[in-house]
Amino acid sequence: MEKIKGYVEHIVYRNEENGYTVFQLNNDDGDLTCVGKFHYIEEGELLELTGEYTVHKIYGTQLQVETSQVCAPEDLVSIERYLGSGAIKGLGAALAGRIVKRFKEDTFRIIEEEPERLAEIKGISDRKAREIAVQVEEKKEMREAMIYLQKYGISTTLAAKIYQHYGQKVYRVIEENPYQMADHVPGVGFRTADEIASKVGIHADSDYRIRSGIFYTLLQSVSEGHVYLMQDILLYRAGQLLEVEIVHIEKYLVDLAIERKIVLKESENGVRVYSSHYYYMELNVAKMLHDLNVAFDVSETELLHRLEKISENTGFYLDQMQKNAVIEAARHGVFVLTGGPGTGKTTTINSMIHFFESEGMDIRLAAPTGRAAKRMTEATGYEAQTIHRLLEVNGSPEEEGSTGFSRDEENPLEADVIIIDEMSMVDLPLMYALLNAVLPGTRLILVGDEDQLPSVGPGSVLKDIIASRCFSVTMLTKIFRQAGESDIVVNAHKINKGEEVVLDNKSRDFFFLKRQDANTIISVVITLIQKKLPGYVDAGIYDIQVLTPMRKGLLGVERLNKILQEYLNPPDKSKTEKEYGDRLFREGDKVMQIKNNYQLEWEVQTKYGMTVDKGVGIFNGDMGVVKNINTYEETVTVEYDEHRCVKYPYTLLDELELAYAITVHKAQGSEYPAVVMPLLQGPRQLYYRNLLYTAVTRARKCVTLVGSDTVFQEMIQNTHEQERNTSLAERIREFV
């Protein structure tokens, strides 16, 4: 084991989450590259290190640091070097030199005990002297606090956030009520706070813990799509989480309501408990929809005449229901167009666009995902964006009081007509952000299929808007001739109506391969992807998507992805790998982002490395391919649609997962040349009609189901999908 002492000359790379740092150390022997994990480190510090020398194949000799200790500067050169390193803001090398020349070995004592004497130095005012003293003390205090926090297993990044929020109060917060950190510091959740509390010795039945656990349980229900929980359900779930019997839950709920963290509402079935954030978000969405829904005076005769002209010029021939849809869209501030596949929604949208364009109106098109926006562009010939790009993601986190977008009520969208496709995917927070940026007087046209699965995020926006019966809605039901030639479309409508689907494999685009064993099913799936389907649908293997109802089990996403990865992107000496928890990422892997990240930066580069476009924001459901894994930088580069490349630090790899197989929920709004769906018996609450209908309608050219035909027929008859606790329809009716 080597021992070495020197100054931190330059920090080459630092991962703030786990403290992994690469830096240049300077001493009498010259510069040395050091690599290791450090609680807190700054350029200019004097360190004593122990470790082993290693030789990196690219970067040469390095010291792999085992232990480190920050030393107080020992001589005049050390003191001057530290003060002038930039560690103290506003203190450069020249000023540091003058301070040390004046006070010599007494410099630090003067700064700590008699800081006013620094004003004796030319160039330092009384105010600057105080600022220097405060910074020197803060550096010392922050390092001590960081070390203290990391005793509780808190990462360096989180420790820094906690210290920035509380300062020297952090010790009292940790010892008295660590649960308050879950409210005040982004990144600290209930479980982290609970772990710290148990180490500190806070009792399991403390009021702090129970209140925090109840609120955490309520927020967790949002991930299931709920906007509220009934009081009795909340009590049961919170009790299971906390593993204590909660007596008099009303007391804790009243306390939380007084703190304005929750809202309690009486209903016919009992007390509804909302988090305040989502209660007011739902209320505001209802109010903004109501305010947008103004009536426009449009002549039906003139409009029908205009539609005749559009049909002659474009070849878009509309039936009476489609014509009515265009008339209603022209007459109302908010209009909903819904219907299943092949019912002419796209033709109707195109006719609307041509009509509004002939009126000289400015039209914007958008959809929730990149794939859906691209499909909208191809179908209409007009540029469509994701809703996130339409609203101009600004990189600020989606926190309470912030939508994360540049377009809002103070900077609204400049458009006369906004058409949003795939509305079934739009959750409550995204709808709130969109409506915030739309001025009354703008026509908002919402297009979607209400029989698709609801959004991944909270709420059931499209269904609730339709259920409110307060807006003009046109439902298209007629299947047009060309669509009727596709068994995907015909069978999707049969599934949706609960009718029997013939599985004789005489179709050109709808196949059912009967198998009864999970491993046999997987073998068939691999053969389909590797050999049968690419040529049949004229697509690459990554364009063929495996969809499954569940995450766990023999045919769940987690097991399927591990197996498919081995066959579709096998290990190779030329491919770098990174293991992260129970996941293995390999260069060439198909992956998916599984949560919204408003800060992640992306850029598009030419093959010569020139950046031609850049932006921020990668969102839940975005799919891409791992292009590079850099073990030195500790980054994984993923390329998404439109050649957008994102560098993920290793600490963000929990936001990625393999995507050879994905759940049907994650496929919403996307369309693939071919879909393969393995089917065997599973939980009834996951095997229902809407899920099967959504899976089948994701395929453009071919859908192949592999497994049990009995399970297939049972799914068609099972209409018991999980209901979501939402109240948007009621809120809308209240305003009307």
Side-chain angles (χ1 to χ4, degrees), residues 192-225:
T192 303
D194 202 32
E195 208 172 295
I196 295 167
S198 67
K199 290 176 181 175
V200 173
I202 290 174
H203 293 299
D205 61 353
S206 84
D207 281 2
Y208 290 138
R209 182 171 187 264
I210 292 174
R211 261 206 319 270
S212 187
I214 289 170
F215 189 61
Y216 173 78
T217 302
L218 187 59
L219 292 184
Q220 284 298 103
S221 72
V222 170
S223 65
E224 300 168 30

Side-chain angles (χ1 to χ4, degrees), residues 551-552 558-559 561-562 565 578-585 653-654 656-658:
R551 292 195 58 81
K552 306 285 185 184
E558 292 172 10
R559 181 170 186 251
N561 270 321
K562 286 178 180 175
Q565 182 188 43
K578 168 61 185 171
E579 204 166 336
Y580 185 86
D582 60 350
R583 301 173 196 174
L584 175 71
F585 296 104
L653 291 183
D654 60 340
L656 284 178
E657 67 180 25
L658 295 175

